[in-house]
Amino acid sequence: MVEARKGISCCKHVVLPVLVVLIVAVIIFLVKDKAHPSPVPSMPSSTPSAAPTPMVPTLENGTYGAALATSIQFLQIQKAGKLVGNTISWRGDSALNDGKGASLDLSKGLYDAGDHMKFGFPMAFTGTILSWTILEYKQLLTGYGKLNLAMDNLRWITDYLVNAHSADNVLCIQVGDPKVDHSCWDRPESMTEERPLLFINKTSPGSDVAGETAAALAAASLVFKSSNATYSSSLLKHAKQLFDFADKYRGIYSYTFPDLANYYNSTDYHDELLWAAAWLYHATGNMTYLQYTTDNGKKFKGYGDPTYFSWDDKRAGTQV
């Protein structure tokens, strides 16, 4: 019985990061172009190159297209807060008071899986990968009629992350108590349990989650640069501050808060620092960030030998 519960718990809190990687995989199957490496990292552009517009996906004419549509819809289903233009008939407003005890508005963001937790580490990774997907495959998403939904999902995440960064060296990394939450299966619209907040700061560091949040906001600043320059600048400002915080006050967040090792245990923070610096280079063009990545990449044990790309290990993504 104990083993069964552990299996259920594992499934519950890995859905969101796995899903966003699925979106990328689906799009890669849809795209026929091959990537060509270059010796100097190129700047991601919010203006896509010309490409033929694909047909609208349906279950009949494109299995991968249908999977893409369903995956992006899943992110819509996971939304917390006051839902605007909601098209999911069985979803409603929820978690409207998240953060109020600390005078913060943390009502938005995405629930992690079948639970009502807001885990900052995997949510930020979802934001980074979703940003990269939009930058890489913007025209394809447009042709499939999913760009607006993808950008709406992204903004739901970044609005939350910006509000969670309440001061230069402070970041809320969790909303909810996972022990309490995972013992109660109900709709988020009906939940009544307390929703405590968890913060990292100078004395309780979390370079991994702060670094990943910096990467997410830097990447998203590129996505919104052409459509909302003011918002893009705000995202980049927070990204820079969070990177400085992560780099100056170093530590693994699941060492700072050992109980969190049961959910999203972090094995290192160096990969998030390199990953964040890489995205800040692309977002700013500042060679200091690129130099940081290359210099520290040489010092980081295992940097040149990545295993898999995930919410915990960013080495492969950083090298790309």
Side-chain angles (χ1 to χ4, degrees), residues 118-136:
K118 296 177 184 178
F119 290 114
F121 197 23
M123 193 194 305
F125 176 71
T126 300
T128 311
I129 300 305
L130 188 55
S131 295
W132 193 357
T133 303
I134 294 169
L135 291 168
E136 197 82 23

Side-chain angles (χ1 to χ4, degrees), residues 232-250:
S232 173
S233 295
S234 174
L235 296 179
L236 192 54
K237 174 186 174 184
H238 283 277
K240 292 176 180 177
Q241 291 173 347
L242 281 163
F243 175 75
D244 290 342
F245 170 40
D247 192 34
K248 186 174 182 180
Y249 301 99
R250 295 191 176 192

Side-chain angles (χ1 to χ4, degrees), residues 84-307:
V84 179
N86 179 33
T87 60
I88 311 299
S89 61
W90 43 271
R91 280 303 322 278
D93 298 345
S94 63
L96 297 179
N97 294 320
D98 279 2
K100 280 192 174 181
S103 300
L104 300 175
D105 180 4
L106 300 176
S107 59
K108 286 187 176 182
L110 304 184
Y111 295 120
D112 187 60
D115 53 12
H116 309 146
M117 292 300 302
K118 296 177 184 178
F119 290 114
F121 197 23
M123 193 194 305
F125 176 71
T126 300
T128 311
I129 300 305
L130 188 55
S131 295
W132 193 357
T133 303
I134 294 169
L135 291 168
E136 197 82 23
Y137 304 111
K138 185 174 183 180
Q139 187 156 337
L140 193 71
L141 285 164
T142 301
Y144 276 81
K146 299 302 175 185
L147 178 63
N148 289 340
L149 274 181
M151 293 184 68
D152 178 69
N153 289 331
L154 178 59
R155 177 137 190 182
W156 212 262
I157 294 171
T158 55
D159 282 355
Y160 169 86
L161 295 177
V162 166
N163 287 351
H165 182 218
S166 56
D168 287 359
N169 298 313
V170 178
L171 177 67
C172 180
I173 63 167
Q174 181 177 296
V175 179
D177 181 338
K179 291 182 180 179
V180 173
D181 187 277
H182 288 181
S183 67
C184 180
W185 289 77
D186 59 0
R187 301 176 69 242
E189 294 83 356
S190 305
M191 62 178 171
T192 58
E193 65 267 23
E194 293 293 321
R195 305 274 288 167
L197 308 180
L198 196 62
F199 293 86
I200 56 171
N201 52 43
K202 293 178 181 180
T203 57
S204 300
S207 299
D208 31 26
V209 63
E212 183 58 58
T213 306
L217 297 179
S221 75
L222 287 166
V223 173
F224 293 104
K225 190 171 184 178
S226 61
S227 61
N228 192 333
T230 301
Y231 186 64
S232 173
S233 295
S234 174
L235 296 179
L236 192 54
K237 174 186 174 184
H238 283 277
K240 292 176 180 177
Q241 291 173 347
L242 281 163
F243 175 75
D244 290 342
F245 170 40
D247 192 34
K248 186 174 182 180
Y249 301 99
R250 295 191 176 192
I252 296 176
Y253 91 107
S254 52
Y255 286 7
T256 300
F257 303 104
D259 285 350
L260 297 188
N262 295 318
Y263 305 98
Y264 287 96
N265 182 44
S266 177
T267 56
D268 207 327
Y269 60 76
H270 292 90
D271 53 326
E272 278 81 24
L273 292 177
L274 299 176
W275 175 241
W279 276 110
L280 280 163
Y281 160 69
H282 284 299
T284 64
N286 187 334
M287 293 296 292
T288 302
Y289 291 116
L290 180 60
Q291 195 68 43
Y292 179 100
T293 307
T294 54
D295 288 350
N296 288 282
K298 296 173 184 177
K299 302 173 186 176
F300 176 30
K301 182 180 179 181
Y303 174 66
D305 187 27
T307 52

Side-chain angles (χ1 to χ4, degrees), residues 10-131:
C10 178
C11 291
K12 284 177 68 179
H13 64 251
V14 298
V15 173
L16 187 59
V18 169
L19 189 281
V20 76
V21 173
L22 173 62
I23 292 175
V24 179
V26 165
I27 292 179
I28 290 173
F29 274 106
L30 290 168
V31 174
K32 304 300 182 183
D33 297 331
K34 293 182 179 180
H36 298 282
S38 58
V40 179
S42 58
M43 300 292 286
S45 172
S46 58
T47 304
S49 56
T53 302
M55 60 183 174
V56 175
T58 66
L59 287 173
E60 290 73 30
N61 69 23
T63 301
Y64 286 111
L68 174 64
T70 305
S71 299
I72 291 177
Q73 184 185 47
F74 175 83
L75 297 180
Q76 289 280 309
I77 290 170
Q78 294 301 103
K79 281 183 173 182
K82 186 170 182 60
L83 304 184
V84 179
N86 179 33
T87 60
I88 311 299
S89 61
W90 43 271
R91 280 303 322 278
D93 298 345
S94 63
L96 297 179
N97 294 320
D98 279 2
K100 280 192 174 181
S103 300
L104 300 175
D105 180 4
L106 300 176
S107 59
K108 286 187 176 182
L110 304 184
Y111 295 120
D112 187 60
D115 53 12
H116 309 146
M117 292 300 302
K118 296 177 184 178
F119 290 114
F121 197 23
M123 193 194 305
F125 176 71
T126 300
T128 311
I129 300 305
L130 188 55
S131 295

